[in-house]
Amino acid sequence: FVPVSAHSQAYVRLCYDVSGVTFCTPVTSSNPLPVTILSPPGGAIQGNGTGTTGAVVGTLAASATKTTYICGVTVSALGGTATIGPITIAGPATSLVFYMASSAAGNFFTQSFSPCIPGSAINTAITTTTTADGTASNVAVNSWGFQQ
């Protein structure tokens, strides 16, 4: 049962070729296009860290038999005016670097990765680290991913 094509002529049809015989069905609100939502294959993990004036690290732990993947990160900074960047994500084959400034009113940075980014090898942690902001009153790092 393999999808062959979808044709557009005032309406959409989904056609399948089953053993050389083509079957078509219209795609409508009462007969929607089939969609499968995939969940990450491994158990979800988080790497969270909080602090004030020093560097803050969130770590997605390593596993001796699995690869760790990062799917996204959020960093928030409140108080002060110094930067908490660069924000460095280490552990993937290539490190990622982002910049963000702190502010008295607060500042937020969110980055999602699709597809999720694997660690450089099995048993490699992925860390998200901010630069120290000597004037911040609250800095938080929240990263999420999975292991497979």
Side-chain angles (χ1 to χ4, degrees):
F1 197 66
V2 177
V4 174
S5 63
H7 302 280
S8 177
Q9 315 165 357
Y11 63 91
V12 175
R13 296 183 311 157
L14 182 62
C15 298
Y16 298 92
D17 182 336
V18 179
S19 301
V21 179
T22 301
F23 298 94
C24 295
T25 182
V27 176
T28 65
S29 60
S30 60
N31 186 31
L33 185 66
V35 175
T36 302
I37 298 173
L38 301 174
S39 298
I45 58 173
Q46 293 184 341
N48 304 322
T50 60
T52 55
T53 58
V56 176
V57 180
T59 302
L60 295 174
S63 170
T65 59
K66 297 179 182 178
T67 299
T68 299
Y69 290 74
I70 185 168
C71 300
V73 62
T74 297
V75 177
S76 62
L78 179 64
T81 56
T83 62
I84 61 164
I87 299 165
T88 304
I89 299 175
T94 301
S95 291
L96 308 168
V97 178
F98 303 94
Y99 289 87
M100 178 179 138
S102 181
S103 74
N107 202 355
F108 298 91
F109 167 81
T110 298
Q111 178 67 52
S112 296
F113 305 108
S114 181
C116 299
I117 299 173
S120 59
I122 291 174
N123 200 23
T124 300
I126 298 178
T127 59
T128 302
T129 307
T130 68
T131 301
D133 174 357
T135 62
S137 58
N138 188 349
V139 176
V141 173
N142 300 293
S143 56
W144 60 93
F146 65 94
Q147 293 175 331
Q148 174 180 310

